Amino acid sequence: MNCAFLRAFCIIQRLRRVGLRSAFTLVCLPAFGCSSDKSGEPNRSPVHQLSIGKQTTCASFEDGSTECWGFRQAGALSDGKPLGATTPDFQLSPAPVAGLDAGVKQLSIGADACALMDTGAVACWGAPLGRAFGEVTERDLVTTPTVLPGLESEVASLAAGKGGSPNTLEGAVRCGIKTDGTVFCWGDGDSGQLGDAVRRSEIPVAIPLVAPATGVAVGTSHVCVALSDRSAWCWGSNEQGELGNVAYAPYDASRDSAIPVRVLALPDVEIKELGAGTGYTCALLASGEVWCWGNGDPLGATAEPLRTDARPIPGLGSVKSLAFGDYHVCALIEDGTVRCWGSRPYGELGDGVSPYRTCWADSTQCVVKAPVTPVGLSHVTLIAAGRSASCAAASDGRTFCWGNNSYGLLGNGTREDTTYPVEVQGL
């Protein structure tokens, strides 16, 4: 079956079912390896990085440029437009980031927005982390990417938490790793994420560790690191067993820890990637297996409501990378497909199903324990997840997003949620 026939078939289906035109475009083209007809459009550099924050989504490209979309008044778009009544609150399609030089190595979008540059410097924009609740005004917003003092060089990677409330900086923390393996964090560490002696800081705070770090993950109220000795250590809130260091028991605040504690039960295998959300943590091992602990929603089909020691996620195959939302996880498989599991009240799993109207009364309707495949995706090269939204970049140059769109995070020109992947406009 050739692609010309499929495109004609999809057009007919769209005319018949106007209400699902985006879904049929997506299902009929990418699922069969056909690209959309972009003849006459300029060639665009492939997407190099994707990141979804609390109120903003950003993509960087292999040519060094970066574009963002979402809620403008948080200051994390940096598109050169003034904040205020004369400018729309929401940017519903990608807009270039002004003042960010070429050479973005990693995008890290949380409550603010940061880029790790090829030079090892960290440039951030948006709301400054580390301020107390209610202290940040519009004048405090950093609207142009600015290199942070003390992070002008030798930074190897970044990780951002999404914090607590979507509309505040309360609980928002960011961490990074230096090229020598040391770890630093800053922000509002109200649960001990900045260590034993500091609760809030606008400048990076060093975290003492027993060995050099190779990976770092920031959850809503905790932080975890992978070390060069193949161990994992976590600190902060342990309300849902996210530190992975104790057998399950009713929550006791004394189990929180402002100093790193070792995760139990992980196999002695190199940790390729760490990620965290609200009350849970996952590790992608060099073997391709995924192990998780903490809140039961993202822990897979065999998980108990809380699982405070690490357990494997079955049914995934060989995993290439992971993306972490508040209560959902997506995995990019080596064959270019995507699998997602966990909570889906806004359609963040992308499988075309959203029990929004019923799941608040019956939480079991919200949760999918066994991994599902987002509708129509194939040949995927990158994935990202936010609080309750997900995105994927495909090898044909297109980018798709799905889930909660109240802040315009999906970039498709609307603020309507979608339970299936829709194409980001203009990428």
Side-chain angles (χ1 to χ4, degrees):
M1 186 180 294
N2 62 42
C3 292
F5 174 82
L6 286 172
R7 290 191 184 100
F9 175 77
C10 291
I11 290 171
I12 293 170
Q13 295 302 314
R14 290 202 303 269
L15 290 174
R16 289 177 175 173
R17 302 195 183 194
V18 175
L20 289 177
R21 60 170 68 94
S22 296
F24 274 91
T25 301
L26 180 63
V27 171
C28 293
L29 297 180
F32 290 95
C34 300
S35 61
S36 60
D37 183 6
K38 295 190 175 185
S39 58
E41 295 185 14
N43 291 328
R44 181 60 193 267
S45 176
V47 174
H48 171 64
Q49 288 276 321
L50 271 175
S51 186
I52 310 174
K54 290 176 71 171
Q55 300 172 333
T56 309
T57 304
C58 295
S60 65
F61 303 89
E62 290 185 1
D63 64 6
S65 61
T66 298
E67 297 186 3
C68 296
W69 56 96
F71 186 52
R72 174 171 285 106
Q73 302 307 322
L77 293 183
S78 187
D79 60 355
K81 296 181 180 179
L83 302 177
T86 61
T87 306
D89 286 344
F90 300 94
Q91 176 65 38
L92 300 180
S93 60
V97 174
L100 189 62
D101 295 332
V104 174
K105 180 180 178 181
Q106 180 191 357
L107 279 176
S108 181
I109 315 300
D112 64 344
C114 289
L116 172 60
M117 312 305 293
D118 287 339
T119 60
V122 175
C124 297
W125 61 100
L129 300 192
R131 301 287 182 91
F133 173 68
E135 284 185 358
V136 178
T137 67
E138 185 176 309
R139 290 181 299 176
D140 296 313
L141 298 178
V142 180
T143 57
T144 302
T146 302
V147 175
L148 297 185
L151 299 180
E152 296 90 351
S153 63
E154 299 182 345
V155 178
S157 65
L158 290 173
K162 275 69 174 182
S165 167
N167 300 309
T168 75
L169 296 178
E170 187 175 11
V173 170
R174 178 179 293 283
C175 297
I177 303 176
K178 290 273 195 172
T179 53
D180 63 1
T182 56
V183 171
F184 56 90
C185 300
W186 74 98
D188 182 16
D190 57 349
S191 296
Q193 302 100 305
L194 305 187
D196 195 31
V198 181
R199 284 294 177 268
R200 184 181 296 119
S201 178
E202 294 182 55
I203 60 175
V205 176
I207 306 296
L209 297 168
V210 299
T214 59
V216 61
V218 182
T220 299
S221 302
H222 74 294
V223 180
C224 293
V225 293
L227 301 186
S228 58
D229 63 3
R230 298 184 173 183
S231 65
W233 297 67
C234 300
W235 62 97
S237 171
N238 202 21
E239 182 174 359
Q240 299 182 73
E242 54 263 58
L243 303 190
N245 70 316
V246 294
Y248 172 69
Y251 174 63
D252 182 339
S254 66
R255 294 191 178 90
D256 296 349
S257 179
I259 60 174
V261 294
R262 185 164 185 165
V263 176
L264 303 177
L266 275 177
D268 184 21
V269 177
E270 177 188 353
I271 298 172
K272 182 179 177 181
E273 182 182 354
L274 272 180
T278 299
Y280 77 92
T281 313
C282 293
L284 170 59
L285 306 184
S287 62
E289 290 182 302
V290 176
W291 288 57
C292 298
W293 57 96
N295 182 292
D297 289 356
L299 266 60
T302 61
E304 301 162 19
L306 293 178
R307 184 68 256 176
T308 57
D309 58 343
R311 294 291 180 90
I313 304 296
L316 289 176
S318 183
V319 176
K320 183 177 180 180
S321 64
L322 297 171
F324 304 88
D326 263 6
Y327 296 102
H328 78 287
V329 183
C330 289
L332 174 58
I333 311 303
E334 290 286 355
D335 64 5
T337 61
V338 177
R339 305 281 281 168
C340 299
W341 66 97
S343 182
R344 62 172 180 187
Y346 299 99
E348 47 265 67
L349 304 189
D351 61 344
V353 179
S354 175
Y356 182 83
R357 290 183 173 84
T358 60
C359 73
W360 302 119
D362 180 4
S363 61
T364 62
Q365 298 294 316
C366 284
V367 179
V368 175
K369 297 283 189 178
V372 297
T373 301
V375 177
L377 283 181
S378 64
H379 306 290
V380 174
T381 59
L382 292 170
I383 57 173
R387 294 174 65 97
S388 50
S390 310
C391 292
S395 59
D396 65 1
R398 292 182 295 165
T399 299
F400 303 92
C401 295
W402 58 95
N404 189 329
N405 202 22
S406 58
Y407 288 107
L409 295 178
L410 307 189
N412 66 330
T414 78
R415 291 176 58 204
E416 297 178 2
D417 300 347
T418 176
T419 62
Y420 50 82
V422 293
E423 187 171 355
V424 177
Q425 294 182 353
L427 288 187

